[in-house]
PDB file of all heavy atoms in Angstrom:
ATOM      1  N   ALA A 184      74.826 122.594 165.567  1.00 98.00           N
ATOM      2  CA  ALA A 184      74.052 123.793 165.844  1.00 98.00           C
ATOM      3  C   ALA A 184      73.042 123.460 166.951  1.00 98.00           C
ATOM      4  O   ALA A 184      72.833 124.225 167.920  1.00 98.00           O
ATOM      5  CB  ALA A 184      73.345 124.292 164.611  1.00 98.00           C
ATOM      6  N   SER A 185      72.421 122.281 166.820  1.00 98.00           N
ATOM      7  CA  SER A 185      71.435 121.825 167.820  1.00 98.00           C
ATOM      8  C   SER A 185      72.124 121.662 169.158  1.00 98.00           C
ATOM      9  O   SER A 185      71.641 122.162 170.158  1.00 98.00           O
ATOM     10  CB  SER A 185      70.835 120.495 167.340  1.00 98.00           C
ATOM     11  OG  SER A 185      70.099 119.864 168.312  1.00 98.00           O
ATOM     12  N   PHE A 186      73.277 121.000 169.189  1.00 98.00           N
ATOM     13  CA  PHE A 186      73.967 120.738 170.438  1.00 98.00           C
ATOM     14  C   PHE A 186      74.456 122.000 171.135  1.00 98.00           C
ATOM     15  O   PHE A 186      74.585 122.054 172.333  1.00 98.00           O
ATOM     16  CB  PHE A 186      75.173 119.806 170.163  1.00 98.00           C
ATOM     17  CG  PHE A 186      74.840 118.369 170.143  1.00 98.00           C
ATOM     18  CD1 PHE A 186      73.566 117.901 169.892  1.00 98.00           C
ATOM     19  CD2 PHE A 186      75.834 117.392 170.390  1.00 98.00           C
ATOM     20  CE1 PHE A 186      73.246 116.535 169.831  1.00 98.00           C
ATOM     21  CE2 PHE A 186      75.578 116.017 170.381  1.00 98.00           C
ATOM     22  CZ  PHE A 186      74.290 115.596 170.136  1.00 98.00           C
ATOM     23  N   CYS A 187      74.811 123.066 170.348  1.00 98.00           N
ATOM     24  CA  CYS A 187      75.387 124.276 170.923  1.00 98.00           C
ATOM     25  C   CYS A 187      74.356 125.409 171.039  1.00 98.00           C
ATOM     26  O   CYS A 187      74.720 126.511 171.439  1.00 98.00           O
ATOM     27  CB  CYS A 187      76.603 124.715 170.117  1.00 98.00           C
ATOM     28  SG  CYS A 187      77.976 123.558 170.252  1.00 98.00           S
ATOM     29  N   GLY A 188      73.101 125.145 170.655  1.00 98.00           N
ATOM     30  CA  GLY A 188      72.098 126.176 170.851  1.00 98.00           C
ATOM     31  C   GLY A 188      72.179 127.365 169.912  1.00 98.00           C
ATOM     32  O   GLY A 188      71.889 128.505 170.330  1.00 98.00           O
ATOM     33  N   VAL A 189      72.639 127.121 168.670  1.00 98.00           N
ATOM     34  CA  VAL A 189      72.696 128.191 167.698  1.00 98.00           C
ATOM     35  C   VAL A 189      71.974 127.804 166.431  1.00 98.00           C
ATOM     36  O   VAL A 189      71.518 126.693 166.329  1.00 98.00           O
ATOM     37  CB  VAL A 189      74.189 128.585 167.345  1.00 98.00           C
ATOM     38  CG1 VAL A 189      74.907 129.092 168.584  1.00 98.00           C
ATOM     39  CG2 VAL A 189      74.944 127.388 166.773  1.00 98.00           C
ATOM     40  N   ALA A 190      71.806 128.754 165.487  1.00 98.00           N
ATOM     41  CA  ALA A 190      71.206 128.408 164.207  1.00 98.00           C
ATOM     42  C   ALA A 190      72.268 127.877 163.267  1.00 98.00           C
ATOM     43  O   ALA A 190      73.394 128.390 163.245  1.00 98.00           O
ATOM     44  CB  ALA A 190      70.567 129.665 163.615  1.00 98.00           C
ATOM     45  N   GLY A 191      71.914 126.862 162.496  1.00 98.00           N
ATOM     46  CA  GLY A 191      72.855 126.326 161.502  1.00 98.00           C
ATOM     47  C   GLY A 191      72.102 125.803 160.325  1.00 98.00           C
ATOM     48  O   GLY A 191      71.113 125.105 160.454  1.00 98.00           O
ATOM     49  N   MET A 192      72.572 126.171 159.119  1.00 98.00           N
ATOM     50  CA  MET A 192      71.849 125.766 157.899  1.00 98.00           C
ATOM     51  C   MET A 192      72.672 125.037 156.923  1.00 98.00           C
ATOM     52  O   MET A 192      73.782 125.441 156.576  1.00 98.00           O
ATOM     53  CB  MET A 192      71.297 127.025 157.241  1.00 98.00           C
ATOM     54  CG  MET A 192      70.438 126.654 156.027  1.00 98.00           C
ATOM     55  SD  MET A 192      69.455 128.039 155.523  1.00 98.00           S
ATOM     56  CE  MET A 192      68.026 127.172 154.859  1.00 98.00           C
ATOM     57  N   LYS A 193      72.118 123.886 156.432  1.00 98.00           N
ATOM     58  CA  LYS A 193      72.674 123.264 155.233  1.00 98.00           C
ATOM     59  C   LYS A 193      71.844 123.681 154.041  1.00 98.00           C
ATOM     60  O   LYS A 193      70.665 123.347 153.893  1.00 98.00           O
ATOM     61  CB  LYS A 193      72.600 121.702 155.310  1.00 98.00           C
ATOM     62  CG  LYS A 193      73.306 121.071 154.141  1.00 98.00           C
ATOM     63  CD  LYS A 193      72.852 119.670 153.784  1.00 98.00           C
ATOM     64  CE  LYS A 193      71.731 119.614 152.808  1.00 98.00           C
ATOM     65  NZ  LYS A 193      72.120 119.860 151.407  1.00 98.00           N
ATOM     66  N   PRO A 194      72.479 124.450 153.126  1.00 98.00           N
ATOM     67  CA  PRO A 194      71.785 124.876 151.955  1.00 98.00           C
ATOM     68  C   PRO A 194      71.546 123.706 150.971  1.00 98.00           C
ATOM     69  O   PRO A 194      72.151 122.627 151.095  1.00 98.00           O
ATOM     70  CB  PRO A 194      72.704 125.903 151.322  1.00 98.00           C
ATOM     71  CG  PRO A 194      73.718 126.215 152.382  1.00 98.00           C
ATOM     72  CD  PRO A 194      73.821 124.974 153.241  1.00 98.00           C
ATOM     73  N   THR A 195      70.677 123.927 150.000  1.00 98.00           N
ATOM     74  CA  THR A 195      70.429 122.976 148.945  1.00 98.00           C
ATOM     75  C   THR A 195      71.772 122.651 148.240  1.00 98.00           C
ATOM     76  O   THR A 195      72.591 123.520 148.038  1.00 98.00           O
ATOM     77  CB  THR A 195      69.482 123.595 147.883  1.00 98.00           C
ATOM     78  OG1 THR A 195      68.288 124.009 148.521  1.00 98.00           O
ATOM     79  CG2 THR A 195      69.165 122.662 146.757  1.00 98.00           C
TER      80      THR A 195
END
Side-chain angles (χ1 to χ4, degrees):
S185 170
F186 276 23
C187 291
V189 297
M192 184 166 211
K193 185 203 91 76
T195 304

